[in-house]
Amino acid sequence: MFRALPSLRFVIPVILLIALWFVGSHFFTQWQLQRIEESPLQRSRVMFIALPDDLTAIVANKTIYVYRRGDVQAKSFSAGEEPAIRPGAKAIMVEQLLARAPIVLTEAQFEPSAELRTAPAPPPLTGDYGIVKVRLTDEGRRRLWKFSAKNVGRTLVIAVDNRYVARVQIETPLNVTEFEIQPIWHVESARLLQESLNAPRGQ
C-alpha cells in the first residue's frame, strides 16, 4: 500500500504528530491550571457567585431569585412560564449564598469598558432585554478559565449591591477575554451591572 501511495509515508506521521500535539497541549493546559494558586476573592460591589449543585437560579417577573432545587416545580421564565415555587419556600439571599459559595469574579477582574445594548424579547415575552458585553483583565481571564475548565454545567449568579441581576451557565471552558452576559431580562438591572463594572475602582 505504501508503495502504491508513497505520500502516505509522510501523511500518517504528520497526522500522528498533530494528534500528539493536541493531546500534549490538553495535558499541559490541565497542568497549568493545577499549579495556578488564586487567593479567594472577598465580597465586593459586583460578584459572580458559583451556585452549589443543590441550588438553582430562576427568573420571575424579570427578577433573579435563588432557591433550593427541590423548591422549584416548573419551567423557567425564558420559556414564557413563571416557575412554580413550593408553598412556604424561601429564596436564598446573597448574604446566605456567600456563606457557602465561592466568588469567581468581582468588578476588579474586569476592564471598565462594559457596553450595554438591548434586543426585543422573544414571544410570548414583551419589551426588551439587556445584553452587557464585558472585557476581562488578565487576572479575570485566568480565574474564569481555571474555574470554568473544572465546572462545566455550573451556574453563576451575578449580584450587584447585594441584589441578583443575572444568571449564566458555564457551557464550555472559557479561555476568553471578551464575552456577553445575556439575557438580562430587566434592562435596568443590565444598566446597573454596566455602570457598576465601569465605575471608578473603590466606589
Side-chain angles (χ1 to χ4, degrees):
M1 181 176 178
F2 284 136
R3 289 179 181 175
L5 299 170
S7 61
L8 288 179
R9 293 179 180 177
F10 303 100
V11 172
I12 291 176
V14 168
I15 291 173
L16 289 174
L17 284 173
I18 292 172
L20 285 172
W21 181 84
F22 275 110
V23 171
S25 176
H26 170 75
F27 283 108
F28 179 70
T29 298
Q30 294 303 311
W31 174 76
Q32 280 185 312
L33 289 172
Q34 292 295 332
R35 66 189 291 269
I36 295 172
E37 293 294 333
E38 304 284 8
S39 58
L41 294 172
Q42 302 303 310
R43 64 177 306 142
S44 191
R45 183 179 184 186
V46 178
M47 296 177 289
F48 287 58
I49 309 168
L51 285 187
D53 290 337
D54 63 325
L55 301 182
T56 186
I58 65 167
V59 183
N61 194 27
K62 297 189 177 183
T63 303
I64 302 292
Y65 297 94
V66 174
Y67 280 95
R68 292 177 179 82
R69 284 190 178 276
D71 291 337
V72 180
Q73 302 170 341
K75 284 287 186 179
S76 160
F77 174 88
S78 60
E81 302 173 16
E82 294 274 339
I85 306 300
R86 183 178 59 81
K90 293 184 178 180
I92 308 297
M93 299 294 100
V94 173
E95 193 69 35
Q96 296 171 286
L97 181 60
L98 288 175
R100 53 177 300 209
I103 301 171
V104 179
L105 298 169
T106 70
E107 71 273 14
Q109 285 76 52
F110 289 86
E111 300 287 353
S113 58
E115 301 173 9
L116 170 65
R117 73 178 197 275
T118 61
L125 307 180
T126 59
D128 294 338
Y129 66 89
I131 301 167
V132 177
K133 183 177 180 180
V134 297
R135 183 176 180 83
L136 292 162
T137 63
D138 288 343
E139 179 199 358
R141 182 195 60 79
R142 187 179 67 243
R143 283 182 178 271
L144 182 60
W145 175 40
K146 183 174 181 179
F147 183 84
S148 63
K150 298 178 181 179
N151 292 276
V152 172
R154 195 94 171 258
T155 297
L156 302 179
V157 288
I158 304 170
V160 180
D161 294 335
N162 292 321
R163 167 186 156 198
Y164 301 120
V165 299
R167 61 175 182 179
V168 292
Q169 186 169 26
I170 298 173
E171 298 178 350
T172 184
L174 297 169
N175 187 9
V176 297
T177 300
E178 294 183 342
F179 62 94
E180 291 184 338
I181 302 168
Q182 66 163 308
I184 305 176
W185 295 112
H186 191 255
V187 173
E188 286 307 311
S189 294
R191 185 169 289 110
L192 176 63
L193 175 60
Q194 179 211 19
E195 292 173 351
S196 299
L197 291 173
N198 291 345
R201 302 308 188 225
Q203 290 190 6

PDB file of all heavy atoms in Angstrom, residues 88-113:
ATOM      1  N   GLY A  88     -44.385  28.131  50.928  1.00  0.00           N
ATOM      2  CA  GLY A  88     -43.577  28.246  52.140  1.00  0.00           C
ATOM      3  C   GLY A  88     -42.075  28.301  51.893  1.00  0.00           C
ATOM      4  O   GLY A  88     -41.308  28.582  52.816  1.00  0.00           O
ATOM      5  N   ALA A  89     -41.649  28.041  50.648  1.00  0.00           N
ATOM      6  CA  ALA A  89     -40.212  28.071  50.354  1.00  0.00           C
ATOM      7  C   ALA A  89     -39.694  29.502  50.388  1.00  0.00           C
ATOM      8  O   ALA A  89     -40.379  30.426  49.966  1.00  0.00           O
ATOM      9  CB  ALA A  89     -39.946  27.451  48.990  1.00  0.00           C
ATOM     10  N   LYS A  90     -38.471  29.665  50.872  1.00  0.00           N
ATOM     11  CA  LYS A  90     -37.871  30.993  50.964  1.00  0.00           C
ATOM     12  C   LYS A  90     -36.688  31.109  50.015  1.00  0.00           C
ATOM     13  O   LYS A  90     -35.886  30.180  49.892  1.00  0.00           O
ATOM     14  CB  LYS A  90     -37.423  31.272  52.394  1.00  0.00           C
ATOM     15  CG  LYS A  90     -38.577  31.401  53.380  1.00  0.00           C
ATOM     16  CD  LYS A  90     -38.082  31.772  54.764  1.00  0.00           C
ATOM     17  CE  LYS A  90     -39.257  31.942  55.730  1.00  0.00           C
ATOM     18  NZ  LYS A  90     -38.785  32.319  57.100  1.00  0.00           N
ATOM     19  N   ALA A  91     -36.594  32.251  49.357  1.00  0.00           N
ATOM     20  CA  ALA A  91     -35.467  32.498  48.464  1.00  0.00           C
ATOM     21  C   ALA A  91     -34.181  32.653  49.278  1.00  0.00           C
ATOM     22  O   ALA A  91     -34.205  33.079  50.434  1.00  0.00           O
ATOM     23  CB  ALA A  91     -35.724  33.751  47.640  1.00  0.00           C
ATOM     24  N   ILE A  92     -33.065  32.288  48.650  1.00  0.00           N
ATOM     25  CA  ILE A  92     -31.755  32.392  49.287  1.00  0.00           C
ATOM     26  C   ILE A  92     -31.185  33.773  48.977  1.00  0.00           C
ATOM     27  O   ILE A  92     -30.958  34.113  47.816  1.00  0.00           O
ATOM     28  CB  ILE A  92     -30.789  31.302  48.764  1.00  0.00           C
ATOM     29  CG1 ILE A  92     -31.429  29.910  48.871  1.00  0.00           C
ATOM     30  CG2 ILE A  92     -29.457  31.369  49.488  1.00  0.00           C
ATOM     31  CD1 ILE A  92     -31.737  29.465  50.263  1.00  0.00           C
ATOM     32  N   MET A  93     -30.939  34.571  50.010  1.00  0.00           N
ATOM     33  CA  MET A  93     -30.403  35.912  49.818  1.00  0.00           C
ATOM     34  C   MET A  93     -28.891  35.848  49.551  1.00  0.00           C
ATOM     35  O   MET A  93     -28.238  34.845  49.819  1.00  0.00           O
ATOM     36  CB  MET A  93     -30.679  36.779  51.048  1.00  0.00           C
ATOM     37  CG  MET A  93     -32.161  36.976  51.364  1.00  0.00           C
ATOM     38  SD  MET A  93     -33.055  37.929  50.104  1.00  0.00           S
ATOM     39  CE  MET A  93     -33.876  36.651  49.177  1.00  0.00           C
ATOM     40  N   VAL A  94     -28.358  36.938  49.014  1.00  0.00           N
ATOM     41  CA  VAL A  94     -26.929  36.977  48.676  1.00  0.00           C
ATOM     42  C   VAL A  94     -26.075  36.666  49.898  1.00  0.00           C
ATOM     43  O   VAL A  94     -25.104  35.893  49.821  1.00  0.00           O
ATOM     44  CB  VAL A  94     -26.553  38.352  48.080  1.00  0.00           C
ATOM     45  CG1 VAL A  94     -25.032  38.461  47.892  1.00  0.00           C
ATOM     46  CG2 VAL A  94     -27.263  38.574  46.751  1.00  0.00           C
ATOM     47  N   GLU A  95     -26.395  37.242  51.027  1.00  0.00           N
ATOM     48  CA  GLU A  95     -25.614  37.015  52.245  1.00  0.00           C
ATOM     49  C   GLU A  95     -25.578  35.534  52.612  1.00  0.00           C
ATOM     50  O   GLU A  95     -24.529  34.996  52.993  1.00  0.00           O
ATOM     51  CB  GLU A  95     -26.216  37.833  53.399  1.00  0.00           C
ATOM     52  CG  GLU A  95     -25.319  37.933  54.616  1.00  0.00           C
ATOM     53  CD  GLU A  95     -24.090  38.794  54.362  1.00  0.00           C
ATOM     54  OE1 GLU A  95     -24.191  39.790  53.622  1.00  0.00           O
ATOM     55  OE2 GLU A  95     -23.027  38.445  54.899  1.00  0.00           O
ATOM     56  N   GLN A  96     -26.717  34.860  52.501  1.00  0.00           N
ATOM     57  CA  GLN A  96     -26.770  33.429  52.789  1.00  0.00           C
ATOM     58  C   GLN A  96     -25.947  32.632  51.786  1.00  0.00           C
ATOM     59  O   GLN A  96     -25.258  31.675  52.149  1.00  0.00           O
ATOM     60  CB  GLN A  96     -28.224  32.945  52.755  1.00  0.00           C
ATOM     61  CG  GLN A  96     -29.119  33.553  53.814  1.00  0.00           C
ATOM     62  CD  GLN A  96     -30.576  33.193  53.565  1.00  0.00           C
ATOM     63  OE1 GLN A  96     -31.220  33.720  52.649  1.00  0.00           O
ATOM     64  NE2 GLN A  96     -31.092  32.282  54.361  1.00  0.00           N
ATOM     65  N   LEU A  97     -26.031  33.026  50.521  1.00  0.00           N
ATOM     66  CA  LEU A  97     -25.301  32.305  49.477  1.00  0.00           C
ATOM     67  C   LEU A  97     -23.798  32.423  49.678  1.00  0.00           C
ATOM     68  O   LEU A  97     -23.059  31.448  49.522  1.00  0.00           O
ATOM     69  CB  LEU A  97     -25.703  32.848  48.104  1.00  0.00           C
ATOM     70  CG  LEU A  97     -25.039  32.184  46.890  1.00  0.00           C
ATOM     71  CD1 LEU A  97     -25.357  30.693  46.840  1.00  0.00           C
ATOM     72  CD2 LEU A  97     -25.487  32.872  45.607  1.00  0.00           C
ATOM     73  N   LEU A  98     -23.329  33.604  50.057  1.00  0.00           N
ATOM     74  CA  LEU A  98     -21.886  33.809  50.233  1.00  0.00           C
ATOM     75  C   LEU A  98     -21.307  32.955  51.357  1.00  0.00           C
ATOM     76  O   LEU A  98     -20.107  32.681  51.379  1.00  0.00           O
ATOM     77  CB  LEU A  98     -21.606  35.287  50.513  1.00  0.00           C
ATOM     78  CG  LEU A  98     -21.773  36.237  49.327  1.00  0.00           C
ATOM     79  CD1 LEU A  98     -21.588  37.676  49.775  1.00  0.00           C
ATOM     80  CD2 LEU A  98     -20.802  35.889  48.219  1.00  0.00           C
ATOM     81  N   ALA A  99     -22.164  32.531  52.286  1.00  0.00           N
ATOM     82  CA  ALA A  99     -21.683  31.699  53.390  1.00  0.00           C
ATOM     83  C   ALA A  99     -21.264  30.310  52.926  1.00  0.00           C
ATOM     84  O   ALA A  99     -20.535  29.611  53.628  1.00  0.00           O
ATOM     85  CB  ALA A  99     -22.766  31.592  54.465  1.00  0.00           C
ATOM     86  N   ARG A 100     -21.696  29.914  51.703  1.00  0.00           N
ATOM     87  CA  ARG A 100     -21.385  28.556  51.251  1.00  0.00           C
ATOM     88  C   ARG A 100     -20.982  28.464  49.789  1.00  0.00           C
ATOM     89  O   ARG A 100     -20.850  27.358  49.254  1.00  0.00           O
ATOM     90  CB  ARG A 100     -22.591  27.646  51.494  1.00  0.00           C
ATOM     91  CG  ARG A 100     -23.900  28.151  50.921  1.00  0.00           C
ATOM     92  CD  ARG A 100     -25.015  27.166  51.133  1.00  0.00           C
ATOM     93  NE  ARG A 100     -24.743  25.891  50.498  1.00  0.00           N
ATOM     94  CZ  ARG A 100     -25.677  25.086  50.040  1.00  0.00           C
ATOM     95  NH1 ARG A 100     -26.942  25.407  50.136  1.00  0.00           N
ATOM     96  NH2 ARG A 100     -25.357  23.938  49.479  1.00  0.00           N
ATOM     97  N   ALA A 101     -20.794  29.584  49.116  1.00  0.00           N
ATOM     98  CA  ALA A 101     -20.484  29.563  47.687  1.00  0.00           C
ATOM     99  C   ALA A 101     -19.302  30.486  47.385  1.00  0.00           C
ATOM    100  O   ALA A 101     -19.206  31.573  47.962  1.00  0.00           O
ATOM    101  CB  ALA A 101     -21.703  29.981  46.875  1.00  0.00           C
ATOM    102  N   PRO A 102     -18.410  30.082  46.462  1.00  0.00           N
ATOM    103  CA  PRO A 102     -17.245  30.916  46.146  1.00  0.00           C
ATOM    104  C   PRO A 102     -17.583  32.057  45.193  1.00  0.00           C
ATOM    105  O   PRO A 102     -18.472  31.949  44.353  1.00  0.00           O
ATOM    106  CB  PRO A 102     -16.292  29.920  45.472  1.00  0.00           C
ATOM    107  CG  PRO A 102     -17.201  28.917  44.829  1.00  0.00           C
ATOM    108  CD  PRO A 102     -18.375  28.790  45.760  1.00  0.00           C
ATOM    109  N   ILE A 103     -16.852  33.142  45.341  1.00  0.00           N
ATOM    110  CA  ILE A 103     -16.921  34.258  44.394  1.00  0.00           C
ATOM    111  C   ILE A 103     -15.899  33.984  43.305  1.00  0.00           C
ATOM    112  O   ILE A 103     -14.708  33.815  43.577  1.00  0.00           O
ATOM    113  CB  ILE A 103     -16.621  35.600  45.084  1.00  0.00           C
ATOM    114  CG1 ILE A 103     -17.620  35.847  46.214  1.00  0.00           C
ATOM    115  CG2 ILE A 103     -16.643  36.741  44.074  1.00  0.00           C
ATOM    116  CD1 ILE A 103     -17.268  37.046  47.085  1.00  0.00           C
ATOM    117  N   VAL A 104     -16.349  33.932  42.058  1.00  0.00           N
ATOM    118  CA  VAL A 104     -15.472  33.610  40.930  1.00  0.00           C
ATOM    119  C   VAL A 104     -14.822  34.867  40.367  1.00  0.00           C
ATOM    120  O   VAL A 104     -13.634  34.870  40.021  1.00  0.00           O
ATOM    121  CB  VAL A 104     -16.255  32.858  39.833  1.00  0.00           C
ATOM    122  CG1 VAL A 104     -15.362  32.540  38.644  1.00  0.00           C
ATOM    123  CG2 VAL A 104     -16.859  31.577  40.401  1.00  0.00           C
ATOM    124  N   LEU A 105     -15.596  35.952  40.272  1.00  0.00           N
ATOM    125  CA  LEU A 105     -15.102  37.219  39.733  1.00  0.00           C
ATOM    126  C   LEU A 105     -15.753  38.370  40.476  1.00  0.00           C
ATOM    127  O   LEU A 105     -16.880  38.248  40.970  1.00  0.00           O
ATOM    128  CB  LEU A 105     -15.436  37.352  38.238  1.00  0.00           C
ATOM    129  CG  LEU A 105     -14.851  36.329  37.259  1.00  0.00           C
ATOM    130  CD1 LEU A 105     -15.522  36.468  35.896  1.00  0.00           C
ATOM    131  CD2 LEU A 105     -13.343  36.490  37.131  1.00  0.00           C
ATOM    132  N   THR A 106     -15.046  39.501  40.536  1.00  0.00           N
ATOM    133  CA  THR A 106     -15.635  40.755  41.005  1.00  0.00           C
ATOM    134  C   THR A 106     -15.340  41.822  39.943  1.00  0.00           C
ATOM    135  O   THR A 106     -14.693  41.538  38.931  1.00  0.00           O
ATOM    136  CB  THR A 106     -15.044  41.208  42.351  1.00  0.00           C
ATOM    137  OG1 THR A 106     -13.687  41.636  42.148  1.00  0.00           O
ATOM    138  CG2 THR A 106     -15.059  40.084  43.385  1.00  0.00           C
ATOM    139  N   GLU A 107     -15.771  43.046  40.192  1.00  0.00           N
ATOM    140  CA  GLU A 107     -15.515  44.107  39.212  1.00  0.00           C
ATOM    141  C   GLU A 107     -14.025  44.355  38.997  1.00  0.00           C
ATOM    142  O   GLU A 107     -13.606  44.848  37.952  1.00  0.00           O
ATOM    143  CB  GLU A 107     -16.217  45.410  39.613  1.00  0.00           C
ATOM    144  CG  GLU A 107     -15.629  46.123  40.816  1.00  0.00           C
ATOM    145  CD  GLU A 107     -16.201  45.645  42.136  1.00  0.00           C
ATOM    146  OE1 GLU A 107     -16.859  44.584  42.172  1.00  0.00           O
ATOM    147  OE2 GLU A 107     -15.994  46.342  43.144  1.00  0.00           O
ATOM    148  N   ALA A 108     -13.193  43.982  39.979  1.00  0.00           N
ATOM    149  CA  ALA A 108     -11.753  44.203  39.859  1.00  0.00           C
ATOM    150  C   ALA A 108     -11.124  43.363  38.754  1.00  0.00           C
ATOM    151  O   ALA A 108     -10.030  43.680  38.281  1.00  0.00           O
ATOM    152  CB  ALA A 108     -11.061  43.910  41.190  1.00  0.00           C
ATOM    153  N   GLN A 109     -11.800  42.299  38.328  1.00  0.00           N
ATOM    154  CA  GLN A 109     -11.271  41.422  37.269  1.00  0.00           C
ATOM    155  C   GLN A 109     -11.787  41.814  35.886  1.00  0.00           C
ATOM    156  O   GLN A 109     -11.601  41.080  34.925  1.00  0.00           O
ATOM    157  CB  GLN A 109     -11.606  39.959  37.562  1.00  0.00           C
ATOM    158  CG  GLN A 109     -10.763  39.333  38.660  1.00  0.00           C
ATOM    159  CD  GLN A 109     -11.181  39.773  40.035  1.00  0.00           C
ATOM    160  OE1 GLN A 109     -12.354  39.684  40.399  1.00  0.00           O
ATOM    161  NE2 GLN A 109     -10.242  40.291  40.812  1.00  0.00           N
ATOM    162  N   PHE A 110     -12.440  42.975  35.792  1.00  0.00           N
ATOM    163  CA  PHE A 110     -12.957  43.448  34.508  1.00  0.00           C
ATOM    164  C   PHE A 110     -12.354  44.792  34.154  1.00  0.00           C
ATOM    165  O   PHE A 110     -12.100  45.627  35.031  1.00  0.00           O
ATOM    166  CB  PHE A 110     -14.483  43.595  34.559  1.00  0.00           C
ATOM    167  CG  PHE A 110     -15.223  42.289  34.609  1.00  0.00           C
ATOM    168  CD1 PHE A 110     -15.457  41.666  35.821  1.00  0.00           C
ATOM    169  CD2 PHE A 110     -15.666  41.685  33.442  1.00  0.00           C
ATOM    170  CE1 PHE A 110     -16.139  40.458  35.877  1.00  0.00           C
ATOM    171  CE2 PHE A 110     -16.350  40.479  33.491  1.00  0.00           C
ATOM    172  CZ  PHE A 110     -16.577  39.862  34.705  1.00  0.00           C
ATOM    173  N   GLU A 111     -12.146  45.006  32.872  1.00  0.00           N
ATOM    174  CA  GLU A 111     -11.781  46.329  32.396  1.00  0.00           C
ATOM    175  C   GLU A 111     -13.022  47.230  32.496  1.00  0.00           C
ATOM    176  O   GLU A 111     -14.148  46.757  32.293  1.00  0.00           O
ATOM    177  CB  GLU A 111     -11.313  46.285  30.936  1.00  0.00           C
ATOM    178  CG  GLU A 111     -10.098  45.395  30.687  1.00  0.00           C
ATOM    179  CD  GLU A 111      -8.815  45.999  31.213  1.00  0.00           C
ATOM    180  OE1 GLU A 111      -8.845  47.175  31.663  1.00  0.00           O
ATOM    181  OE2 GLU A 111      -7.783  45.310  31.189  1.00  0.00           O
ATOM    182  N   PRO A 112     -12.844  48.509  32.823  1.00  0.00           N
ATOM    183  CA  PRO A 112     -14.009  49.416  32.930  1.00  0.00           C
ATOM    184  C   PRO A 112     -14.497  49.863  31.557  1.00  0.00           C
ATOM    185  O   PRO A 112     -14.531  51.053  31.240  1.00  0.00           O
ATOM    186  CB  PRO A 112     -13.443  50.587  33.748  1.00  0.00           C
ATOM    187  CG  PRO A 112     -11.991  50.600  33.399  1.00  0.00           C
ATOM    188  CD  PRO A 112     -11.589  49.159  33.213  1.00  0.00           C
ATOM    189  N   SER A 113     -14.893  48.875  30.751  1.00  0.00           N
ATOM    190  CA  SER A 113     -15.311  49.177  29.373  1.00  0.00           C
ATOM    191  C   SER A 113     -16.563  48.401  28.979  1.00  0.00           C
ATOM    192  O   SER A 113     -16.772  48.116  27.802  1.00  0.00           O
ATOM    193  CB  SER A 113     -14.168  48.837  28.405  1.00  0.00           C
ATOM    194  OG  SER A 113     -13.802  47.457  28.525  1.00  0.00           O
TER     195      SER A 113
END
